């Protein structure tokens, strides 16, 4: 059965991935040039994520959507198990948001183009001025009523376990007094572990758990630290037992 799935990936999954990525990038580029950038910057990517996951026959469970309010901006923070985190969140969170992502992702063919055209937020750490520009862009998005999604670990896991969370997203939420929503991703590491690189995936269910929003209590370093700890514990609590516990990530 495993080898039949490999053949299916070559004949169906890979062509769908390539063609849908190219079409999505073109849609985003043209749409953002002539119309509403917030619409075209989200919905083509939203359907792209769903198409990829469904074309690979991966079952998805989403829990906790009832915790989110219409019209509310959130700072979503998620563990980073693997490459399929992107497809899972983009396709199944069902909220219009911008990604905060590594600057190096802008060099990926078609994907980087679409991200630049749709004004996703590239995290640029090449000095204090660039860092400030990154947070200025994120602040502007949130003040317009949209949300942002961040992987506070900053890098995919090598083991499926969580590493430490960095403070940037929590400081941004604190400054604007916005709620932080923890997201727990399960299954992404099992589908495509980081060590494999671009290789065959393994069939495995994906689960996205949307936790209750964490609203600010006060403002300043104490609130940032408290929110970070609560978010970390929430994300950890919904991980499958196999991936419970902290493991240092040397790529952070």
């Amino acid at each position: 059965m495993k080898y039949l799935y490999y053949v299916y990936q070559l004949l169906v999954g890979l062509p769908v991935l390539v063609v849908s990525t190219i079409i999505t990038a073109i849609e985003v580029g043209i749409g953002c040039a002539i119309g509403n950038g917030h619409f075209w910057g989200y919905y083509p990517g939203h359907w792209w994520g769903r198409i990829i996951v469904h074309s690979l026959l991966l079952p998805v469970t989403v829990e906790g959507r009832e915790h989110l309010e219409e019209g509310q901006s959130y700072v979503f923070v998620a563990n980073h198990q693997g490459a399929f985190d992107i497809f899972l969140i983009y396709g199944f969170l069902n909220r219009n948001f911008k990604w905060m992502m590594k600057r190096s992702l802008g060099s990926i063919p078609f994907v980087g183009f679409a991200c630049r055209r749709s004004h996703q937020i590239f995290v640029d750490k090449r000095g204090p001025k660039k860092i400030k520009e990154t947070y200025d862009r994120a602040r502007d998005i949130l003040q317009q009523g949209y949300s942002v999604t961040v992987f506070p670990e900053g890098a995919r896991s090598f083991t499926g376990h969580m590493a430490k969370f960095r403070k940037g997203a929590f400081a941004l939420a604190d400054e604007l007094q916005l709620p932080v929503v923890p997201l727990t991703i399960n299954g992404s590491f099992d589908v495509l572990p980081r060590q494999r690189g671009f290789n065959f995936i393994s069939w495995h269910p994906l689960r996205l758990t949307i936790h209750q929003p964490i609203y600010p209590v006060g403002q300043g370093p104490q609130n940032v630290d408290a929110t970070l700890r609560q978010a970390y514990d929430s994300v950890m609590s919904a991980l499958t037992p196999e991936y419970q516990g902290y493991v240092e990530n040397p790529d952070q």
Side-chain angles (χ1 to χ4, degrees):
M1 198 69 180
K2 178 176 71 172
Y3 295 106
L4 284 176
Y5 189 46
Y6 288 169
V7 172
Y8 175 85
Q9 289 176 48
L10 288 173
L11 297 180
V12 179
L14 182 59
V16 169
L17 172 63
V18 172
V19 172
S20 64
T21 299
I22 294 171
I23 291 174
T24 299
I26 294 171
E27 283 183 333
V28 170
I30 295 174
C32 289
I34 64 175
N36 184 338
H38 289 302
F39 176 90
W40 291 103
Y42 169 70
Y43 283 98
H46 168 67
W47 286 107
W48 172 70
R50 296 181 75 90
I51 288 168
I52 298 303
V53 170
H54 288 318
S55 70
L56 290 166
L57 310 179
L58 302 173
V60 173
T61 302
V62 180
E63 303 169 341
R65 282 208 190 102
E66 68 276 8
H67 296 147
L68 304 180
E69 298 178 18
E70 284 296 325
Q72 172 67 56
S73 294
Y74 294 108
V75 177
F76 293 103
V77 295
N79 60 313
H80 204 0
Q81 277 203 336
F84 274 76
D85 300 344
I86 307 296
F87 305 130
L88 180 61
I89 293 176
Y90 227 163
F92 298 91
L93 181 59
N94 290 3
R95 298 287 292 205
N96 195 330
F97 66 88
K98 299 290 186 185
W99 292 100
M100 291 187 71
M101 62 181 69
K102 284 184 174 181
R103 185 173 62 91
S104 59
L105 296 178
S107 61
I108 298 176
F110 295 103
V111 173
F113 167 78
C115 289
R116 287 191 297 273
R117 296 295 297 180
S118 59
H119 304 291
Q120 306 299 328
I121 304 161
F122 291 104
V123 179
D124 194 334
K125 298 181 180 179
R126 295 176 298 171
K129 182 179 179 181
K130 294 294 185 181
I131 293 173
K132 181 180 182 301
E133 289 174 358
T134 296
Y135 283 95
D136 285 347
R137 287 194 294 274
R139 186 184 300 110
D140 181 60
I141 291 295
L142 288 163
Q143 288 174 335
Q144 291 180 51
Y146 295 91
S147 299
V148 298
T149 299
V150 187
F151 295 115
E153 294 166 279
R156 287 172 292 151
S157 173
F158 284 98
T159 64
H161 296 78
M162 286 170 58
K164 64 183 179 181
F165 277 4
R166 299 192 180 278
K167 291 185 178 181
F170 303 95
L172 183 64
D174 174 72
E175 178 187 340
L176 299 178
Q177 290 291 279
L178 290 173
V180 170
V181 177
L183 305 174
T184 302
I185 293 169
N186 279 293
S188 179
F189 183 79
D190 300 282
V191 169
L192 186 65
R194 182 171 179 178
Q195 298 94 315
R196 284 193 194 171
F198 292 96
N199 205 335
F200 289 107
I201 70 166
S202 298
W203 187 92
H204 195 280
L206 296 167
R207 187 171 83 244
L208 176 66
T209 303
I210 304 167
H211 297 274
Q212 292 188 0
I214 304 169
Y215 288 87
V217 179
Q219 190 168 21
Q222 188 172 359
N223 178 58
V224 172
D225 291 340
T227 304
L228 186 154
R229 287 195 300 271
Q230 189 175 346
Y232 191 93
D233 291 344
S234 294
V235 176
M236 181 74 77
S237 70
L239 281 173
T240 55
E242 180 183 1
Y243 299 119
Q244 290 277 340
Y246 166 83
V247 173
E248 183 179 2
N249 186 338
D251 199 26
Q252 278 196 312

